[in-house]
Amino acid sequence: MGFIDNLMGNASEVDLDKLESEMEDILTEGEEVDSGYNVFRDLFLFTNKRLILVDKQGMTGKKVEYHSIPYRSITHFSVETAGTFDMESELRIWLSGTPEPVMKQFKKGNNIADVHRALASYTL
């Protein structure tokens, strides 16, 4: 069901051992992966030091943008859930020194709550 959930935009938790080996080039010394969530090809990676947003781009997904966000720079965040006629939920993260939030969309489903809960546990 993982592939179908990803196509629908539902966040699914990722295997931590696999994540650590895939991300070892960008993790700092002493940094550990605590949890990760896949949303289609994108990834929300929560470490003991920062949030890393992995944005795979293009048809093949070989071009990848890593957006590193120290938890201390997150000023606030919001979640807008999908309604009856809405097809998407939105997560917005405001960072100190930037007027516009980082915004990620999720297809209709309640799994945005897992990402919201993880984000809250690291920033509050």
Side-chain angles (χ1 to χ4, degrees):
M1 191 74 115
F3 178 72
I4 299 299
D5 279 343
N6 281 338
L7 281 178
M8 297 305 293
N10 293 333
S12 58
E13 202 157 358
V14 182
D15 180 271
L16 294 182
D17 293 331
K18 183 180 175 187
L19 261 182
E20 283 213 14
S21 65
E22 286 178 11
M23 298 296 169
E24 68 182 348
D25 290 341
I26 65 167
L27 296 176
T28 64
E29 187 174 324
E31 187 172 20
E32 299 173 3
V33 176
D34 292 332
S35 62
Y37 298 92
N38 245 353
V39 180
F40 192 50
R41 296 189 317 177
D42 294 345
L43 180 68
F44 287 79
L45 179 64
F46 293 91
T47 76
N48 58 330
K49 297 183 178 189
R50 60 187 164 155
L51 168 62
I52 303 171
L53 302 177
V54 180
D55 182 12
K56 295 186 178 179
Q57 303 170 359
M59 291 289 288
T60 62
K62 295 210 183 245
K63 181 178 179 181
V64 180
E65 178 183 10
Y66 298 95
H67 193 107
S68 179
I69 304 170
Y71 296 122
R72 69 180 178 277
S73 70
I74 298 173
T75 59
H76 69 282
F77 56 92
S78 70
V79 170
E80 180 180 300
T81 59
T84 304
F85 299 107
D86 297 329
M87 296 304 291
E88 297 173 339
S89 299
E90 289 182 349
L91 171 67
R92 291 185 181 114
I93 304 170
W94 282 266
L95 308 175
S96 59
T98 49
E100 296 298 318
V102 174
M103 187 169 46
K104 292 290 182 179
Q105 292 187 333
F106 294 73
K107 298 293 180 199
K108 190 171 187 173
N110 61 0
N111 292 331
I112 193 172
D114 294 337
V115 176
H116 182 254
R117 191 173 13 269
L119 187 57
S121 71
Y122 286 101
T123 58
L124 301 177

